[in-house]
Amino acid sequence: MSNLRFEVVAEAFRKRPLEVPAPKERPSEYFAKYVFNRQKMYRYLSADVYNKLIDVIDNGCRLDRSIADAVASGMKQWAEENGVTHYTHWFQPLTEGTAEKHDAFVEHDGKGGMIEEFSGKLLVQQEPDASSFPNGGIRNTFEARGYSAWDPTSPVFIIDDTLCIPTIFISYTGEALDYKAPLLKSLHAVGEAATSVCHYFDKKVKKVQTNLGWEQEYFLVDESLYSARPDLMLTGRTLMGHDSAKNQQMDDHYFGTIPERVQAFMKDLETQALELGIPCKTRHNEVAPGQFELAPIYEECNLAVDHNMLLMSLMKKVAHKHGFRVLLHEKPFDGINGSGKHNNWSLVTDTGVLLHAAGKTSEANLRFVVFIVETLMGVYKHNGLLKASIMTATNAHRLGGNEAPPAIISSFLGRQLTDLLDHIEKADKDELFNVEGKTGMKLDIPEIPELMIDNTDRNRTSPFAFTGNRFEFRAVGSEANCASALIVLNTAVAEALTDFKQRVDALIAGGEDQTSAIIDVIREDIRRCRPIRFDGNGYSDEWKAEAARRGLDCEASCPLCFDRYLDPESVRMFEKMNVMSRSELEARNEVKWETYTKKIQIEARVMGDLSMNHIIPVATHYQSRLAKNVGGMFNIFGKEEGKALTARNVKIIREIAERTQRIETGIEELVNARKVANRIQNEREKALAYHDTVAPKMDAVRYQIDKLELIVADELWTLPKYRELLFIR
Ligand code: ADP
Ligand code: MG
């Protein structure tokens, strides 16, 4: 019996690092080479058009359609100088990736020939067929049109021969069918709300911007091995596979030496990412073998999200070139760490930062406290919704495991900030501040030491940790579009800030001094959001019990978590902040439930196929071999002695019989559970059935398969094992 597995293992072993010629220039010179950034706008557009476009980008002014043609023609000129022949509207539908439809620059010239053309109309708007993308029933069959519309705040870029134009994607009737449209609205909401709160402290603040720095974790697997694992290929994770004797227990991978082949991949990836304007900064090994991380410098949130989407697709392409496959699934391997994507989130004004602790004046410190507390208020009030925003069929494997934040949202602030909030909440108000002549209030807010900026007692178990000048949302999955989490976070904070301002204004209208009013409201809010603050070990069982007592959302079932999107307070928040309507939320939930069901459905099918076509045939083959041996032994040694000498083989023959039997019954039950679930029409109910009755049955089958892997002869086993998949030479 020839074994494909041995062949692919040998092939993987033979691979050498790809020669990647080092770029001749320094990164600063090729950075954003393929991006139509300001520098290029300035070169390719007239001064007037340039100024108008910058006004659109910086100040959110409406795009004057009359400049669209000029912008398009400047873009086209630059693109053609870079060998570009096609353009595409690049958008983020409610799937995992991005979508694009390429059109050539050509048009009839009316004289029987062709000319290259790209007009403002084509830049600004297109009509892809919305029915081919998940839309949750928003699109009626008679009106399948969807619009993609240019987002001028994210610069166009070139990939190969194509000019890519970042766009939003909405239905004919204006509902969002993507991540970008609501993200932009949420950014607008939090920007406006934060700006007006800033005006208490500084009238000169013109706008508040949200920043995002993501940290992308991923696994690499040799492509030959990958191709021999149908489960990896079809579901992104291994549905079976016994632990490798050695995996991460020696803690020798994290920050260890990067394998040469991987190093070559990383260099290649980073060069290409830098050329696309992604400011790559950090690369290192992660905790699990075969796991790595890439983090750029933070950027404006919308741009950072686009860059993350772009990077994920670039990774896949570059990995392929280096003979790897990149696994973005949150939990590709059982028993070792999964992958997340920390989202570092902060607010800055055009005059300074907001979440930075070391303010020079008590005013600055009070402003800092206001933004910290109102962020916590938003997170507290919508903690269940925030969890729903990061929940997927794939990330659910990671949350609650002992390596990732639990399926409960809480926030770590660290000792100093906790003490500060306690002081403000508990101190006698007269003690807290006193009037100092005309300058107004002198706040007795203890000075916040610089030290906190490096918040060294970082709590790794907290899903939403304050780290000195930003919050780090750690529960986001590696495969996710960050926008899903950020839409909720931005909107929740926008609502909290708006609510805060309303209450402060009411007190001021009643005759209270502004600072005193702010302190009253902030003291109240520190008390109200206390349950979200938790500095202890988020992985412990005590915390789960404690969180339930505090009334935090502890639901762990993925399809049930999605219900939070339709809670009255969620709908109210999204509508009030003008981010999404009820019908949009309903439609998106349909998509979420449907996607959940499909993922589990595919996994269950693959599990059935592999059990029947790989596992059982291989195990029975080995069993027959053993049986033949037992028969032969009996012939040679006679019944008595033969029995004694073949006891081990007989034991294994029996074990194989029992385990294959259990697998068969397990698969049968799995198929039946699926049949029952498939008859359910309602998407929510169907997803619940898949969660409650289908998914758990896969665990039982896997258990038997992994046991078989241990007893069947290695040479017969067809699927690459964990010990082979996980270690890159
Ligand atoms: P760690 O792994 O220790 O959390 P990294 O240096 O890997 O830290 O990543 C930190 C991320 O946070 C980077 O993307 C960085 O640019 C980003 N970041 C730093 N400061 C801010 C900030 N004020 N706002 C948003 N993101 C930030
Ligand atoms: Mg981090």
Side-chain angles (χ1 to χ4, degrees):
M1 195 173 181
S2 87
N3 191 338
L4 173 70
R5 181 176 135 244
F6 283 179
E7 283 170 36
V8 294
V9 169
E11 198 182 322
F13 202 81
R14 275 196 300 269
K15 283 186 192 148
R16 292 285 161 260
L18 215 65
E19 288 287 342
V20 187
K24 286 182 204 69
E25 305 149 300
R26 289 184 304 170
S28 59
E29 286 160 76
Y30 60 84
F31 179 72
K33 181 174 171 188
Y34 295 122
V35 183
F36 196 65
N37 57 8
R38 284 170 198 234
Q39 214 182 357
K40 278 153 209 138
M41 288 176 196
Y42 191 77
R43 228 177 95 198
Y44 288 86
L45 305 176
S46 74
D48 178 47
V49 171
Y50 173 82
N51 287 331
K52 280 187 178 150
L53 184 57
I54 294 297
D55 216 24
V56 172
I57 296 168
D58 284 349
N59 308 319
C61 297
R62 267 200 112 65
L63 180 80
D64 178 352
R65 284 285 173 120
S66 67
I67 68 161
D69 277 329
V71 175
S73 126
M75 279 177 185
K76 177 169 151 280
Q77 192 194 338
W78 166 70
E80 284 184 335
E81 285 171 20
N82 283 283
V84 167
T85 52
H86 287 64
Y87 66 93
T88 180
H89 275 199
W90 181 81
F91 57 98
Q92 300 165 25
L94 300 173
T95 58
E96 260 140 32
T98 53
E100 51 205 80
K101 171 175 155 257
H102 298 202
D103 284 303
F105 279 142
V106 289
E107 287 295 336
H108 285 299
D109 67 355
K111 302 181 193 80
M114 286 281 202
I115 51 162
E116 280 75 29
E117 206 177 84
F118 181 54
S119 67
K121 203 172 118 243
L122 298 174
L123 165 66
V124 172
Q125 190 174 305
Q126 298 248 307
E127 292 182 23
D129 182 359
S131 61
S132 320
F133 296 99
N135 54 58
I138 269 189
R139 161 210 58 94
N140 290 324
T141 33
F142 58 86
E143 189 40 275
R145 256 187 302 168
Y147 286 108
S148 55
W150 180 35
D151 166 19
T153 60
S154 180
V156 302
F157 53 90
I158 295 172
I159 292 192
D160 301 328
D161 62 356
T162 305
L163 179 70
C164 302
I165 303 157
T167 58
I168 58 165
F169 182 44
I170 54 177
S171 77
Y172 177 65
T173 38
E175 283 101 349
L177 296 173
D178 70 345
Y179 286 105
K180 192 190 255 287
L183 176 69
L184 287 171
K185 287 181 171 178
S186 75
L187 288 167
H188 181 76
V190 75
E192 293 280 295
T195 306
S196 55
V197 168
C198 281
H199 286 163
Y200 286 138
F201 306 96
D202 181 1
K203 288 271 181 255
K204 288 198 291 289
V205 171
K206 283 205 217 57
K207 70 171 193 178
V208 172
Q209 175 180 299
T210 307
N211 286 333
L212 166 66
W214 41 263
E215 303 162 46
Q216 180 72 52
E217 291 182 346
Y218 61 95
F219 277 88
L220 286 177
V221 171
D222 181 86
E223 193 161 44
S224 319
L225 299 171
Y226 173 92
S227 65
R229 289 287 311 217
D231 49 353
L232 270 184
M233 288 173 71
L234 297 178
T235 73
R237 75 174 177 114
T238 52
L239 297 175
M240 51 199 67
H242 196 278
D243 277 353
S244 165
K246 176 179 187 292
N247 49 49
Q248 67 188 43
Q249 64 273 64
M250 303 295 285
D251 289 326
D252 52 1
H253 190 68
Y254 191 58
F255 284 12
T257 315
I258 300 173
E260 266 182 84
R261 270 183 74 199
V262 178
Q263 180 95 11
F265 156 78
M266 285 177 168
K267 275 190 197 160
D268 203 359
L269 172 66
E270 284 166 23
T271 308
Q272 295 192 43
L274 285 163
E275 284 176 345
L276 284 167
I278 305 171
C280 302
K281 172 121 176 134
T282 309
R283 56 161 106 123
H284 60 76
N285 284 3
E286 262 302 328
V287 174
Q291 193 187 27
F292 308 92
E293 178 181 303
L294 183 151
I297 303 169
Y298 66 89
E299 299 176 277
E300 186 281 319
C301 183
N302 174 44
L303 186 60
V305 170
D306 282 0
H307 279 167
N308 181 241
M309 297 308 289
L310 194 53
L311 181 91
M312 288 195 287
S313 56
L314 192 61
M315 279 176 121
K316 291 179 189 159
K317 207 167 88 181
V318 180
H320 189 50
K321 181 173 143 196
H322 288 255
F324 288 123
R325 283 290 172 151
V326 57
L327 306 179
L328 293 174
H329 192 293
E330 283 81 1
K331 192 78 179 171
F333 303 99
D334 243 31
I336 56 169
N337 277 20
S339 305
K341 178 153 56 200
H342 294 179
N343 275 209
N344 295 270
W345 176 93
S346 69
L347 298 169
V348 289
T349 70
D350 49 336
T351 57
V353 287
L354 282 178
L355 297 177
H356 195 287
K360 293 279 175 289
T361 63
S362 5
E363 284 272 297
N365 281 338
L366 181 60
R367 185 177 79 169
F368 163 71
V369 169
V370 165
F371 278 92
I372 292 290
V373 173
E374 293 313 320
T375 303
L376 293 177
M377 275 303 282
V379 171
Y380 170 54
K381 193 169 165 205
H382 298 287
N383 69 87
L385 177 62
L386 210 51
K387 182 169 67 190
S389 76
I390 49 100
M391 261 294 180
T392 58
T394 52
N395 202 20
H397 287 287
R398 173 177 162 261
L399 300 170
N402 247 3
E403 83 215 42
I408 301 166
I409 302 293
S410 68
S411 184
F412 166 87
L413 295 182
R415 191 71 261 143
Q416 287 146 326
L417 192 48
T418 301
D419 288 348
L420 175 65
L421 296 193
D422 288 348
H423 175 72
I424 296 173
E425 183 192 345
K426 305 232 172 74
D428 190 64
K429 197 173 165 194
D430 291 334
E431 250 176 52
L432 201 57
F433 66 93
N434 44 61
V435 183
E436 263 205 350
K438 265 205 274 183
T439 50
M441 308 296 168
K442 181 180 175 296
L443 293 168
D444 173 31
I445 292 182
E447 181 140 339
I448 305 161
E450 283 280 346
L451 187 77
M452 216 171 80
I453 296 155
D454 273 332
N455 212 349
T456 38
D457 61 337
R458 287 172 161 214
N459 181 330
R460 288 272 156 200
T461 68
S462 178
F464 196 78
F466 181 69
T467 48
N469 58 357
R470 61 190 189 266
F471 280 97
E472 198 168 323
F473 193 10
R474 302 208 181 107
V476 182
S478 49
E479 196 168 28
N481 184 324
C482 304
S484 177
L486 293 163
I487 291 166
V488 173
L489 178 60
N490 293 335
T491 313
V493 175
E495 184 196 49
L497 288 167
T498 308
D499 185 53
F500 165 82
K501 177 143 196 309
Q502 261 166 13
R503 286 178 293 149
V504 172
D505 285 350
L507 291 179
I508 295 173
E512 201 173 328
D513 168 88
Q514 178 180 295
T515 308
S516 165
I518 291 175
I519 291 194
D520 279 346
V521 175
I522 220 64
R523 275 153 71 107
E524 187 190 335
D525 286 354
I526 292 174
R527 191 164 35 74
R528 281 166 66 202
C529 72
R530 184 171 281 281
I532 200 75
R533 281 160 53 189
F534 177 66
D535 283 8
N537 178 8
Y539 297 170
S540 68
D541 285 332
E542 297 82 66
W543 167 235
K544 281 184 204 147
E546 166 68 13
R549 270 195 299 279
R550 292 186 187 189
L552 297 176
D553 191 308
C554 297
E555 183 56 63
S557 152
C558 176
L560 279 181
C561 284
F562 297 154
D563 284 349
R564 299 288 75 74
Y565 273 98
L566 299 175
D567 284 345
E569 58 271 26
S570 305
V571 177
R572 209 178 308 130
M573 171 191 89
F574 282 121
E575 295 199 326
K576 192 169 130 205
M577 294 295 114
N578 195 26
V579 173
M580 277 189 280
S581 66
R582 171 183 286 279
S583 62
E584 282 173 304
L585 290 165
E586 280 169 352
R588 295 167 93 90
N589 258 22
E590 291 294 298
V591 175
K592 285 181 206 292
W593 284 312
E594 204 182 322
T595 308
Y596 180 86
T597 297
K598 284 181 182 162
K599 291 240 163 181
I600 308 291
Q601 195 172 50
I602 293 170
E603 288 189 349
R605 285 178 178 160
V606 173
M607 183 136 225
D609 290 353
L610 286 181
S611 299
M612 295 306 164
N613 306 333
H614 282 251
I615 309 301
I616 294 181
V618 165
T620 348
H621 182 76
Y622 181 53
Q623 194 185 36
S624 313
R625 208 157 91 177
L626 294 176
K628 213 165 130 199
N629 168 276
V630 173
M633 294 289 274
F634 272 56
N635 280 344
I636 298 171
F637 296 102
K639 203 176 165 199
E640 203 79 347
E641 209 183 345
K643 212 170 156 183
L645 290 172
T646 57
R648 177 201 167 263
N649 283 359
V650 172
K651 193 170 143 255
I652 292 180
I653 291 171
R654 175 165 294 125
E655 188 176 339
I656 291 177
E658 283 166 6
R659 294 203 188 278
T660 46
Q661 196 103 64
R662 292 211 182 105
I663 292 173
E664 267 185 34
T665 344
I667 296 295
E668 217 173 278
E669 286 173 19
L670 197 57
V671 171
N672 288 336
R674 243 159 58 212
K675 278 188 186 151
V676 173
N678 289 345
R679 279 198 288 273
I680 304 173
Q681 290 298 314
N682 178 292
E683 291 296 349
R684 178 179 178 276
E685 298 304 316
K686 194 192 277 187
L688 283 175
Y690 265 88
H691 176 273
D692 298 343
T693 66
V694 179
K697 295 211 166 58
M698 294 205 291
D699 296 339
V701 175
R702 176 181 186 146
Y703 178 81
Q704 300 300 338
I705 295 177
D706 291 355
K707 288 286 181 204
L708 281 178
E709 189 188 314
L710 284 184
I711 54 169
V712 170
D714 187 57
E715 57 166 325
L716 297 180
W717 200 256
T718 52
L719 302 172
K721 297 183 172 181
Y722 269 29
R723 62 166 188 255
E724 292 148 356
L725 291 166
L726 282 171
F727 298 95
I728 293 164
R729 269 104 202 156

